[in-house]
Amino acid sequence: AAVPWGPGGAMAAETKMDVEESAPQPAVDHQDPSADVDLAAYISKYTGYTRLKRLVYIGESCPGLQGQAYRMAIDMAKSMNDTQMYTKLVSSVGSYLGEGSVTLDSSWVDETDRANASRQETLDLNLGHVKSTMVKEGIRVAYTDLGNFYYAKGDIQSALKNFLRTRDYCTTPAHTSDMCINVITASSDLGHWRHVSQYVSKGEQMEAPSPEYTSKLRAASGLTSLAEGEMKIAARRFLTVEESLGNTFSNVITLEDVATYGTLCALASLDRQELRRRLFENATFQVVLEAVPTLRALAQDFFYGRYGSCIERLHAMLPILMIDMYMRPHAVELVESIKESLALQYFSPYLSVDLRRMAAAFNQEVQDMEKVVCKLIAKDALPARIDSESKTMHRRGHDERHASVDKVMRLMDAHVRQTNTALLRLSLMQHDFVITAADDTRQGSSRDLSGAAEIEVPEDNRQDGSM
């Protein structure tokens, strides 16, 4: 059976064919493709606050996983001693889970708040003590402990403030690298991508203490570009991440995420030559791709022209992409961009193509294939016209006369520039005009004379026949 071209997989088959082509197609409307995802296995890859944040995001955006996600989020908030998030979730998700399905454990909240207050008081006293000693290392450790305490209980804003305060007390490169990673982690949880970018740059200016540290910075930089919609930059950054990242950055991003984000962004935004060099000939990233074998197969299908198989794999990945809080806003756009690249790749060697054969290669219906091609032609991405009666597509002829005139005009402009430069040089030589620098004669004498185009020779010094 033909795979529907639309971003919703099986949902697209239910879409009425008489709907206007310009009407926006929602990613998930009639059926939630994420309903069959094993949420427990998916979320187990993450640690720290990002696990809780992802669960809440899934609960808010994926109806098919809403109940399970909220229950897991409540348990996670309780295990983190995050009483504010726990209370908020219990009070707000009753309408989704049903009244009485979740009850607030008030005694646990009171007991945990007292324990957190006691721990915070101890850390504040320790900070005050080390400040009185004026020992930089002690102050740095005290601020770091406070930041870790706030981060562990879900107060990310307070954690970030304390991590930033350690900046003035870092005395070794190792201290600075730890500070950068802590700030990047907290800033990414808050969505402060400018902050992330700033401290990635700061971390890259230092000598890397380990390959793992470098991979963390590159992964964070790629995530920043992805969040800002810069797919090409994100692809280039993700494709430089090494296997050494492993699960050491799972409180922000996992190695599997790097493989997924990097591959999809690369297929959607890089040209074929750059894709070959950065993805397929990149031995380092090929090791990273081993974490997700389906991605390796998808990339190979794309590169070697197995169009139908590539589209099927893309649709199979959509459920996972739609529950990912970083990929969901861009998932449909990325999938459509990859499909359009496949269509352009198919047509590139031909002057004319039979749309029926093209649809068969893509495992699509002819009508769906024609709509995709029309969209590319309307965007001026495909220089072709369609013969709807014979179902063929013809490449638009090249205007040889216009190209010849353009070439002649370019050659004429180049000749004029060269002639003016030669005349200027002859005039300068005729008047013994030499440009020198006050401090370095050799530097001045080697300067390009074309830079003297703005210098005018006085009228009374000119001779007949000179410029």
Side-chain angles (χ1 to χ4, degrees):
V3 178
W5 184 273
M11 296 184 299
E14 301 174 5
T15 306
K16 294 182 179 179
M17 297 303 295
D18 58 347
V19 176
E20 292 185 6
E21 187 176 336
S22 60
Q25 298 297 320
V28 182
D29 251 3
H30 307 295
Q31 177 183 349
D32 185 3
S34 62
D36 297 329
V37 173
D38 186 347
L39 182 58
Y42 169 80
I43 207 65
S44 65
K45 302 179 297 181
Y46 304 99
T47 58
Y49 183 76
T50 192
R51 177 188 286 190
L52 176 59
K53 187 170 67 168
R54 284 176 178 269
L55 285 170
V56 174
Y57 181 85
I58 293 170
E60 292 174 347
S61 57
C62 304
L65 296 172
Q66 196 169 66
Q68 183 184 3
Y70 277 136
R71 288 189 177 89
M72 294 178 70
I74 290 171
D75 293 339
M76 182 70 185
K78 200 169 184 178
S79 67
M80 291 176 60
N81 293 333
D82 187 350
T83 56
Q84 289 187 353
M85 180 61 76
Y86 170 77
T87 304
K88 178 181 177 181
L89 286 171
V90 171
S91 60
S92 62
V93 304
S95 58
Y96 301 114
L97 305 182
E99 295 296 337
S101 59
V102 178
T103 56
L104 182 67
D105 189 346
S106 302
S107 60
W108 174 85
V109 171
D110 295 338
E111 181 181 349
T112 303
D113 282 341
R114 286 194 296 269
N116 285 340
S118 176
R119 174 62 177 162
Q120 181 178 342
E121 183 179 2
T122 301
L123 292 173
D124 286 336
L125 289 173
N126 179 58
L127 175 62
H129 172 70
V130 295
K131 276 187 173 181
S132 66
T133 65
M134 301 297 291
V135 178
K136 279 193 170 184
E137 173 61 10
I139 298 174
R140 185 191 70 84
V141 171
Y143 273 127
T144 302
D145 289 342
L146 262 174
N148 289 332
F149 163 74
Y150 283 119
Y151 186 86
K153 76 185 192 74
D155 189 351
I156 310 302
Q157 190 66 53
S158 297
L160 178 59
K161 289 179 181 178
N162 283 278
F163 289 144
L164 287 171
R165 287 168 181 161
T166 66
R167 176 179 50 193
D168 297 329
Y169 303 98
C170 294
T171 56
T172 68
H175 295 164
T176 304
S177 63
D178 288 343
M179 180 271 297
C180 288
I181 295 298
N182 287 335
V183 172
I184 288 170
T185 301
S187 297
S188 64
D189 285 330
L190 293 171
H192 295 172
W193 300 114
R194 184 175 298 179
H195 227 153
V196 174
S197 181
Q198 177 184 349
Y199 278 85
V200 166
S201 299
K202 184 178 180 66
E204 289 177 336
Q205 293 172 4
M206 303 167 41
E207 183 179 354
S210 65
E212 169 193 316
Y213 172 76
T214 303
S215 292
K216 286 182 178 181
L217 294 181
R218 292 171 177 173
S221 177
L223 195 59
T224 300
S225 299
L226 176 63
E228 294 176 348
E230 300 288 346
M231 302 304 168
K232 183 173 290 189
I233 299 175
R236 291 169 178 167
R237 297 298 286 174
F238 282 129
L239 295 181
T240 60
V241 176
E242 299 180 1
E243 185 192 14
S244 58
L245 179 69
N247 294 322
T248 60
F249 211 27
S250 58
N251 55 343
V252 176
I253 189 173
T254 66
L255 192 65
E256 184 176 334
D257 290 335
V258 169
T260 302
Y261 302 166
T263 301
L264 294 180
C265 289
L267 295 180
S269 61
L270 301 184
D271 59 50
R272 190 170 179 83
Q273 289 73 23
E274 188 174 5
L275 189 65
R276 177 194 292 274
R277 186 178 73 255
R278 293 184 181 271
L279 180 59
F280 293 96
E281 296 178 355
N282 184 349
T284 301
F285 195 76
Q286 287 298 313
V287 178
V288 175
L289 270 181
E290 292 179 0
V292 192
T294 55
L295 277 173
R296 180 193 291 272
L298 171 67
Q300 290 175 346
D301 286 343
F302 180 94
F303 197 76
Y304 294 111
R306 297 190 283 265
Y307 305 105
S309 176
C310 184
I311 293 173
E312 287 180 1
R313 294 184 192 278
L314 278 174
H315 283 295
M317 290 184 63
L318 266 177
I320 291 294
L321 299 181
M322 297 305 288
I323 68 173
D324 189 297
M325 63 182 181
Y326 296 119
M327 283 300 292
R328 183 183 178 95
H330 312 288
V332 173
E333 178 187 353
L334 282 174
V335 170
E336 291 302 314
S337 295
I338 293 172
K339 291 175 179 178
E340 290 176 0
S341 297
L342 286 171
L344 293 172
Q345 179 177 307
Y346 182 92
F347 184 64
S348 60
Y350 301 111
L351 290 176
S352 61
V353 167
D354 188 325
L355 288 178
R356 290 179 289 265
R357 297 183 62 180
M358 187 176 181
F362 280 77
N363 198 18
Q364 303 293 307
E365 297 294 341
V366 177
Q367 294 85 351
D368 296 333
M369 196 77 251
E370 189 172 352
K371 287 182 179 180
V372 174
V373 172
C374 287
K375 182 179 177 182
L376 287 171
I377 293 174
K379 292 165 56 177
D380 288 331
L382 189 62
R385 345 183 261 276
I386 297 176
D387 185 343
S388 298
E389 183 177 355
S390 62
K391 297 298 181 185
T392 56
M393 180 170 60
H394 304 276
R395 187 180 297 275
R396 285 199 297 265
H398 187 57
D399 190 344
E400 296 291 344
R401 181 178 178 277
H402 189 271
S404 298
V405 172
D406 284 344
K407 183 177 180 180
V408 170
M409 293 299 294
R410 288 196 300 270
L411 290 173
M412 184 183 70
D413 291 341
H415 178 70
V416 169
R417 286 195 301 270
Q418 292 171 2
T419 302
N420 286 335
T421 301
L423 290 173
L424 175 61
R425 181 179 180 86
L426 289 173
S427 180
L428 292 174
M429 292 173 63
Q430 183 177 3
H431 291 83
D432 295 327
F433 195 96
V434 180
I435 301 174
T436 59
D439 57 343
D440 190 345
T441 303
R442 291 175 302 170
Q443 178 183 356
S445 61
S446 62
R447 189 178 302 175
D448 187 0
L449 287 175
S450 63
E454 299 298 328
I455 300 175
E456 296 185 1
V457 180
E459 292 288 343
D460 55 353
N461 290 337
R462 295 189 180 184
Q463 299 178 4
D464 294 339
S466 64
M467 290 182 59

